[in-house]
Amino acid sequence: MASIEQIRLDFPVLDQQVNGSPLIYFDNAATTQKPQVVLDALNKYYSEDNANIHRGIHALAERATAAFELTRKKIQSFLHAESSDQIIFTSGTTASINLVAQTYGRANFEAGDKILVSNLEHHSNIVPWQMIALEKGAEVMVIPVLDSGVLDLDAYQKLLQENTVKLVAVNHVSNAIGTINPIQEMIALAHAHGAKILIDGAQSVAHMEMDVQRFDMDFFAFSAHKLFGPTGVGVLYGKRELLESMPPYQGGGEMIKEVSFSGTTYNELPYKFEAGTPNIADVIAFSASFDYLNSLEKGWVEEQENALLSYATEQLSQIDGLKIIGTAPNKIAVVSFLIEGTHPQDIGVLLDKFGIAIRTGHHCAQPLMQRFDIPGTCRASFSFYNTKEEIDRLVACLKRVVTMLL
Ligand code: PMP
């Protein structure tokens, strides 16, 4: 296994000074950094293979098509999906969730139906459901969250028992506070009550293994940029019978079988949901993320990140007036915190002066901030390329920042 110093060299962006200090990148929940192999793949595609895919008969089009479809296969294998036809490319988690809301939701929701979302959701797993609920006369209901940041599973069961729930939409991991939700149990409960379930995997894919068949997922959505890949690529996995029963999302090239003015027939999966020229270059480059992850020792990422989480929690807790928001026993390496008498944004701006990148604000989870009655938090989110020394520097700089602010 390579040393952490060698691993960091694989991520060129990490090697820079920001405001006169070495960059410390603790904003991995917003987006992860890209290894050199992903950058090289992007460059190779544009320098050697650039062509539109699927319809071309020339060498470049064939090479580009093969590389594009290879990424689909790698995602199938990463998710342990039955078939690569069930892997649909979108522009991101947000687009994947909107696709399900606008096609599955429009075809299946009726007046009076209930859609359950949790109080831990990112706006992109709330608003698409509110929009379709409004259109169909359905109602969005909320699975409450306990003070620890853990979902209230008793309340979840009650909501399922007492209502005609059509669909549950819940994240695997909270981006704002890091809670890992017990999705296997939540999926089984949803199914036991006849509901379908969509899992937003945006924050889990970089941290844990996924098996959509073992978990019996109906829908699973994630973004490539949170998994060391490029921006502008998202994935929707769905069960075959669900995807086949769903009407197309957008109309255009690629998604059709035959078009005439007397009627149009639609393409097979997955192309039925992929209208227009897709994000070819970024999908192809995303392939290299899987090669990179597969080159790391199995289990090492989780081990490294858990060590960073424990260390950061322990060290940050020693700062006077610092309160961690979200203390679930099962968390990914995210620490959301507030420091008495200071505003998160001031902390973020001052840490940046020391070259430390954290995220501040509501993290696109305003209902969660409302639940805790806070304006937002400071969030440090770690990846396997971060180190304990970087956490030491965060703690030291935070202490200085607090004395500047108080
Ligand atoms: N869900 C969660 C839990 C997220 O963390 C994010 C990104 N912050 C999203 C959805 C949306 O992802 P994207 O912006 O890539 O569509």
Side-chain angles (χ1 to χ4, degrees), residues 38-197:
V38 169
L39 309 180
D40 290 345
L42 198 56
N43 197 28
K44 177 186 176 300
Y45 167 74
Y46 278 128
S47 352
E48 297 173 23
D49 303 325
N50 179 45
N52 210 329
I53 54 167
H54 292 141
R55 291 164 302 261
I57 43 130
H58 55 80
L60 266 61
E62 279 174 11
R63 287 208 301 263
T65 303
F68 184 89
E69 291 302 328
L70 180 64
T71 305
R72 206 189 297 274
K73 290 261 178 224
K74 287 188 186 171
I75 296 168
Q76 175 199 352
S77 147
F78 174 72
L79 296 180
H80 297 96
E82 302 89 310
S83 139
S84 61
D85 303 354
Q86 290 159 262
I87 306 300
I88 292 155
F89 285 117
T90 66
S91 61
T93 309
T94 305
S96 299
I97 297 171
N98 276 279
L99 190 162
V100 177
Q102 292 298 318
T103 64
Y104 181 83
R106 185 166 290 130
N108 291 281
F109 296 162
E110 288 166 14
D113 280 347
K114 306 287 188 284
I115 304 158
L116 291 191
V117 301
S118 90
N119 202 164
L120 281 177
E121 299 314 304
H122 187 280
H123 296 160
S124 66
N125 204 20
I126 299 175
V127 185
W129 306 114
Q130 289 177 325
M131 288 163 71
I132 191 69
L134 199 65
E135 186 182 314
K136 302 298 270 186
E139 190 187 342
V140 174
M141 299 185 85
V142 184
I143 309 164
V145 66
L146 303 172
D147 289 345
S148 58
V150 170
L151 286 181
D152 182 343
L153 286 193
D154 292 336
Y156 174 53
Q157 286 212 44
K158 274 206 192 90
L159 282 163
L160 284 168
Q161 273 156 10
E162 291 168 7
N163 297 282
T164 335
V165 176
K166 271 275 162 74
L167 185 124
V168 179
V170 70
N171 59 38
H172 191 175
V173 167
S174 155
N175 65 306
I177 57 172
T179 310
I180 302 174
N181 290 317
I183 54 161
Q184 201 159 4
E185 196 180 338
M186 294 185 78
I187 293 169
L189 281 167
H191 288 162
H193 290 89
K196 302 292 180 215
I197 184 161

Side-chain angles (χ1 to χ4, degrees), residues 45-361:
Y45 167 74
Y46 278 128
S47 352
E48 297 173 23
D49 303 325
N50 179 45
N52 210 329
I53 54 167
H54 292 141
R55 291 164 302 261
I57 43 130
H58 55 80
L60 266 61
E62 279 174 11
R63 287 208 301 263
T65 303
F68 184 89
E69 291 302 328
L70 180 64
T71 305
R72 206 189 297 274
K73 290 261 178 224
K74 287 188 186 171
I75 296 168
Q76 175 199 352
S77 147
F78 174 72
L79 296 180
H80 297 96
E82 302 89 310
S83 139
S84 61
D85 303 354
Q86 290 159 262
I87 306 300
I88 292 155
F89 285 117
T90 66
S91 61
T93 309
T94 305
S96 299
I97 297 171
N98 276 279
L99 190 162
V100 177
Q102 292 298 318
T103 64
Y104 181 83
R106 185 166 290 130
N108 291 281
F109 296 162
E110 288 166 14
D113 280 347
K114 306 287 188 284
I115 304 158
L116 291 191
V117 301
S118 90
N119 202 164
L120 281 177
E121 299 314 304
H122 187 280
H123 296 160
S124 66
N125 204 20
I126 299 175
V127 185
W129 306 114
Q130 289 177 325
M131 288 163 71
I132 191 69
L134 199 65
E135 186 182 314
K136 302 298 270 186
E139 190 187 342
V140 174
M141 299 185 85
V142 184
I143 309 164
V145 66
L146 303 172
D147 289 345
S148 58
V150 170
L151 286 181
D152 182 343
L153 286 193
D154 292 336
Y156 174 53
Q157 286 212 44
K158 274 206 192 90
L159 282 163
L160 284 168
Q161 273 156 10
E162 291 168 7
N163 297 282
T164 335
V165 176
K166 271 275 162 74
L167 185 124
V168 179
V170 70
N171 59 38
H172 191 175
V173 167
S174 155
N175 65 306
I177 57 172
T179 310
I180 302 174
N181 290 317
I183 54 161
Q184 201 159 4
E185 196 180 338
M186 294 185 78
I187 293 169
L189 281 167
H191 288 162
H193 290 89
K196 302 292 180 215
I197 184 161
L198 175 141
I199 303 294
D200 167 357
Q203 290 296 334
S204 59
V205 282
H207 307 286
M208 58 196 76
E209 294 198 352
M210 182 42 55
D211 189 327
V212 292
Q213 290 189 80
R214 190 163 58 78
F215 282 49
D216 199 18
M217 303 255 181
D218 293 318
F219 297 107
F220 185 77
F222 74 94
S223 302
H225 73 94
K226 310 255 190 200
L227 187 57
F228 315 102
T231 48
V233 176
V235 169
L236 173 69
Y237 159 85
K239 276 195 182 141
R240 178 178 294 282
E241 67 272 18
L242 292 173
L243 294 175
E244 278 179 346
S245 73
M246 282 155 54
Y249 182 34
Q250 292 176 321
E254 199 70 19
M255 54 73 73
I256 52 88
K257 205 171 254 165
E258 242 180 276
V259 178
S260 81
F261 286 119
S262 56
T264 289
T265 51
Y266 304 129
N267 208 338
E268 314 272 300
L269 288 176
Y271 309 112
K272 180 171 93 171
F273 293 111
E274 295 180 358
T277 300
N279 187 349
I280 304 170
D282 293 309
V283 166
I284 288 176
F286 186 30
S287 191
S289 300
F290 296 102
D291 301 340
Y292 185 79
L293 289 169
N294 289 334
S295 76
L296 301 174
E297 200 174 286
K298 216 172 155 40
W300 177 78
V301 167
E302 258 183 282
E303 201 180 295
Q304 165 78 354
E305 291 181 353
N306 284 338
L308 291 172
L309 175 65
S310 319
Y311 188 69
T313 307
E314 191 186 292
Q315 296 301 312
L316 287 167
S317 304
Q318 285 168 19
I319 295 178
D320 280 347
L322 186 144
K323 183 173 178 222
I324 293 177
I325 311 292
T327 51
N330 291 322
K331 275 177 71 171
I332 56 153
V334 162
V335 184
S336 237
F337 59 90
L338 286 169
I339 301 179
E340 218 179 329
T342 67
H343 194 281
Q345 186 159 353
D346 295 336
I347 302 246
V349 167
L350 290 174
L351 284 178
D352 182 56
K353 303 272 178 259
F354 295 105
I356 302 177
I358 61 156
R359 172 102 358 178
T360 62

